[in-house]
């Protein structure tokens, strides 16, 4: 409510995590005596004037029940003075019973004090967590509001000690604005690792700071999502972010993300959850695509992907999978052609003056150079020229408009360690590659650009039975037409067995049971429902993983040379498709420091 009242400062004070006392003070518009009395009435609100306003909600709160509910179970004090007025109003309520109004001469704005929460309803008090836990929830809330509203200063005091304070950010906009507030909340070291992106389409716009691959967390608590100035924990938005990180993070790891989404308020229903943290979007698939594509493109083009001393890459090619394929199969609707209001895309705040003077703000053999049947098929798959016995490499060269980030064919090969890690030197730097992860990413990118290479099928002489869970069988049954299109053929036998009859040629000679079991586990996610595009990427990642050279396998020099030549055609190679790191650089100074030089 303080944010809706255009406050420039919000101070929160707690005792015992808020169980003993909560005091929220702001310097917003304040309220008249009449409005102060109405504010604690059930169902009363100054933020909805017409029925149609319910379908165009731009304020933080609007249902008018919070103050009445809190005042009924606490010792409640509301002190407020409108801007420009010499005197304000103090309203005291105990257990729902209001006392006579008093004059108040405090600062402009509003102060709400809640003491002895649930003192008159001890049964409900038992559901409160430990004070430290409740304090943690309050701190998270203040951090979220701070990230969402950088133009407002926030502070949090607990048991008499200031625990959190951020100043209002003035004179900045865009990336600078969001970085300034992110640094204040998360710390400058964490903020410096984040990559800024800005993307929009006809359905909305997003500005975000996101972490690059390799900078991740074991939980999703550092994913902060905001829609039209409101902090939300909505699955549609969060899933869109995670889709953008597909093949860039290890399984079970999560990125750091601060995502601000703006869209026409009429395209989102904010009144479907008691705490308004979950929303209902009219075009959820399109919103997810906006987030996923924006993050995926930015991660591949960002400065973090440069080798030491490298140059910033030029914009990459078009996405591997078209926009339409990125959208989940659920919720497909007709395209919305009406443009979004410019003020909404710019993130401007809308103020509505109300009759009572209040306002609101929207505010692992050999490089299995895959087992294929003839030279033509091999050439088509890897793009190599084996025109003589020395296996001369025909270098494809970099992608159009791209500068190589690593001088692959110019580096000096130093040797391998543990038949897994490859060491190179170039210009005073040392590069170490994980040979399996490196080859896996190269194959994945090539297959992504031409999925027909995966569609070439190799029949098995004898069908191979694979035991799977009932849930995995159900997914394979639902996705059979897509798998057959990409070179697999199988029959379902009962509730837990599948007979594999053919696999893509690139996987011929591999362990069929392992390949198929891994594939089934990959696609049986999200309660059995996932977008076709995501399943396609799982297929490509599985194929690339099983076709790539393994750790512990000897890599002959000619095949290594071929692999490095192929790297020139790959515009992203820092993670394997399952998110593991592919390479690591060391400078001359770093190596010298190992020996105290």
């Amino acid at each position: 409510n303080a944010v809706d009242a255009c406050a420039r400062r919000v101070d929160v004070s707690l005792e015992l995590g808020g169980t003993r006392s909560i005091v929220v003070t702001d310097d917003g518009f304040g309220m008249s005596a009449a409005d102060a009395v109405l504010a604690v009435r059930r169902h009363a609100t100054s933020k909805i004037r017409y029925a149609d306003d319910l379908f165009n909600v731009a304020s933080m709160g609007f249902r008018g029940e919070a103050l009445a509910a809190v005042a009924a179970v606490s010792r409640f004090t509301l002190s407020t003075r409108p801007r420009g007025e010499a005197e304000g109003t103090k309203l005291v309520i105990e257990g729902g019973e209001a006392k006579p109004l008093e004059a108040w001469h405090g600062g402009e704005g509003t102060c709400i004090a809640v003491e002895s929460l649930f003192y008159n309803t001890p049964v409900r008090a038992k559901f409160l967590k430990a004070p430290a836990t409740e304090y943690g929830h309050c701190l998270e809330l203040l951090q979220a509001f701070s990230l969402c509203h950088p133009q407002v200063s926030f502070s949090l005091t607990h048991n008499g000690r200031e625990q959190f304070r951020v100043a209002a950010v003035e004179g900045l906009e865009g990336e600078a604005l969001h970085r300034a507030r992110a640094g204040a909340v998360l710390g400058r070291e964490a903020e410096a690792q984040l990559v800024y992106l800005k993307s929009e389409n006809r359905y909305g716009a997003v500005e975000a700071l996101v972490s690059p691959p390799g900078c991740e967390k074991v939980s999703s608590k550092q994913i902060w999502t905001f829609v039209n100035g409101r902090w939300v924990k909505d699955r549609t938005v969060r899933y869109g972010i995670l889709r953008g990180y597909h093949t860039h993070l290890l399984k079970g790891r999560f990125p750091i993300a601060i995502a601000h989404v703006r869209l026409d308020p009429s395209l989102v229903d904010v009144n479907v959850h008691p705490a308004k943290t979950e929303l209902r979007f009219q075009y959820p698939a399109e919103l997810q695509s906006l987030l996923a594509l924006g993050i995926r493109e930015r991660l591949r083009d960002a400065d973090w992907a440069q080798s030491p001393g490298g140059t910033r890459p030029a914009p990459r090619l078009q996405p591997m999978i078209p926009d339409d394929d990125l959208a989940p199969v659920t919720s497909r609707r007709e395209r919305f052609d009406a443009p979004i209001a410019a003020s909404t895309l710019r993130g401007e705040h809308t103020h509505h003056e109300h009759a009572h003077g209040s306002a609101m703000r929207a505010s692992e053999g050999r490089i299995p150079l895959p087992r294929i049947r003839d030279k033509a098929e091999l050439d088509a798959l890897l793009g190599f020229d084996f025109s003589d016995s020395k296996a001369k490499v025909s270098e494809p060269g970099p992608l159009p408009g791209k500068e190589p980030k690593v001088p692959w064919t110019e580096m000096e090969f130093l040797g391998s360690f543990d038949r897994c890690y490859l060491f190179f030197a170039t210009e005073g730097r040392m590069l170490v590659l994980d040979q399996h992860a490196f080859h896996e990413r190269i194959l994945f990118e090539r297959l992504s650009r031409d999925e027909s290479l995966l569609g070439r099928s190799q029949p098995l002489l004898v069908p191979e039975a694979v035991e799977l869970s009932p849930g995995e069988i159900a997914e394979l049954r639902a996705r059979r037409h897509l798998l057959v299109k990409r070179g697999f053929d199988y029959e379902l036998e009962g509730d837990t067995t599948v007979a594999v009859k053919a696999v893509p040629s690139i996987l011929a000679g591999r362990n069929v049971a392992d390949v198929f079991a891994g594939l089934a586990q990959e696609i049986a996610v999200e309660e059995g429902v996932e977008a076709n595009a995501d399943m396609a990427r799982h297929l490509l990642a599985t194929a690339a993983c099983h076709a790539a050279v393994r750790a512990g396998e000897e890599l002959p020099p000619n095949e290594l040379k071929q692999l490095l030549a192929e790297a020139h055609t790959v515009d992203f190679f820092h993670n394997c498709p399952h998110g593991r790191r592919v390479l690591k650089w060391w400078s001359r100074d770093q190596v010298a420091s190992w020996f105290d030089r």
Side-chain angles (χ1 to χ4, degrees), residues 39-80:
V40 295
R41 295 281 298 272
R42 291 190 65 189
H43 310 302
T45 178
S46 63
K47 303 174 185 180
I48 299 294
R49 300 182 63 189
Y50 307 102
D52 287 346
D53 290 346
L54 289 170
F55 304 99
N56 196 37
V57 174
S59 60
M60 297 293 294
F62 60 91
R63 293 193 297 190
E65 298 178 4
L67 293 182
V70 173
V73 292
S74 67
R75 295 183 171 93
F76 178 93
T77 303
L78 186 157
S79 306
T80 183

Side-chain angles (χ1 to χ4, degrees), residues 246 251 472 517-525 530 538 541-542 578:
H246 187 76
K251 187 175 183 179
E472 292 165 347
L519 179 62
Q521 292 170 5
E522 287 278 7
I523 65 176
V525 297
E530 188 164 11
H538 285 314
T542 299
H578 295 98

Side-chain angles (χ1 to χ4, degrees), residues 83-105:
R83 288 180 182 174
E85 297 292 332
E87 183 178 276
T89 304
K90 181 178 180 180
L91 173 64
V92 178
I93 301 177
E94 288 195 13
E97 296 294 328
K99 296 185 176 181
L101 293 179
E102 303 176 23
W104 190 64
H105 297 88

Side-chain angles (χ1 to χ4, degrees), residues 337-391:
D337 296 321
I340 295 177
S343 60
T344 301
L345 293 180
R346 289 194 300 267
E348 296 177 355
H349 298 291
T350 303
H351 301 274
H352 298 283
E353 296 294 341
H354 290 265
H356 301 299
S358 62
M360 69 179 183
R361 168 157 53 190
S363 357
E364 286 182 297
R366 308 238 172 238
I367 269 185
L369 292 173
R371 282 121 173 121
I372 5 205
R373 293 168 293 204
D374 53 40
K375 171 183 176 298
E377 191 168 332
L378 180 62
D379 289 346
L381 178 62
L382 294 180
F384 299 144
D385 179 8
F386 290 91
S387 57
D388 60 41
S389 60
K390 295 183 180 179

Side-chain angles (χ1 to χ4, degrees), residues 335-529:
R335 296 290 178 175
F336 176 70
D337 296 321
I340 295 177
S343 60
T344 301
L345 293 180
R346 289 194 300 267
E348 296 177 355
H349 298 291
T350 303
H351 301 274
H352 298 283
E353 296 294 341
H354 290 265
H356 301 299
S358 62
M360 69 179 183
R361 168 157 53 190
S363 357
E364 286 182 297
R366 308 238 172 238
I367 269 185
L369 292 173
R371 282 121 173 121
I372 5 205
R373 293 168 293 204
D374 53 40
K375 171 183 176 298
E377 191 168 332
L378 180 62
D379 289 346
L381 178 62
L382 294 180
F384 299 144
D385 179 8
F386 290 91
S387 57
D388 60 41
S389 60
K390 295 183 180 179
K392 177 182 177 181
V393 178
S394 176
E395 295 185 6
L399 292 174
K402 297 287 291 185
E403 295 183 44
K405 303 183 184 78
V406 178
W408 297 110
T409 57
E410 300 170 12
M411 296 188 299
E412 178 187 358
F413 179 52
L414 303 178
S416 65
F417 171 70
D418 203 26
R419 293 186 178 183
C420 180
Y421 306 104
L422 309 177
F423 286 74
F424 300 86
T426 180
E427 299 179 353
R429 297 170 287 151
M430 183 169 66
L431 174 68
V432 182
L433 286 173
D434 180 318
Q435 66 181 28
H436 172 70
F438 183 50
H439 192 200
E440 185 180 349
R441 171 55 75 173
I442 288 176
L443 290 178
F444 176 81
E445 295 293 325
R446 177 165 285 277
L447 291 170
S448 297
R449 292 196 297 268
D450 186 0
E451 292 190 34
S452 66
L453 298 174
L454 187 61
R456 298 168 182 171
S457 185
Q458 175 67 57
L460 303 181
L461 292 177
V462 179
E464 184 161 345
V466 181
E467 292 295 323
L468 301 172
S469 70
E472 292 165 347
I473 291 291
E475 281 301 306
L476 290 175
R477 179 179 289 110
R479 315 262 182 196
R480 190 179 189 284
H481 66 291
L482 296 171
L483 290 167
V484 169
K485 180 181 177 181
R486 290 172 172 83
F488 290 92
D489 191 16
Y490 56 92
E491 295 292 340
L492 302 176
E493 298 179 353
D495 295 333
T496 60
T497 304
V498 58
V500 183
K501 301 164 63 177
V503 296
S505 297
I506 194 174
L507 298 175
R510 290 301 184 183
N511 187 309
V512 174
D514 287 348
V515 172
F516 220 74
L519 179 62
Q521 292 170 5
E522 287 278 7
I523 65 176
V525 297
E526 294 293 323
E527 300 179 352
V529 177

Side-chain angles (χ1 to χ4, degrees), residues 164-224:
F164 175 78
R165 177 177 291 277
V166 291
V169 181
E170 299 178 354
L172 298 178
E173 60 183 16
E175 179 177 3
L177 173 67
H178 294 298
R179 283 196 178 279
R181 183 45 64 92
V185 176
L186 304 183
R188 295 300 174 188
E189 184 176 348
E191 173 270 318
Q193 301 179 75
L194 304 181
V195 176
Y196 175 77
L197 71 91
K198 185 174 183 179
S199 181
E200 66 180 74
N201 61 18
R202 70 179 71 178
Y203 304 99
V206 59
E207 278 189 275
L209 290 170
V210 298
S211 60
C215 177
E216 63 236 14
K217 301 293 183 181
V218 296
S219 76
S220 60
K221 287 187 176 181
Q222 292 297 306
I223 299 179
W224 307 83

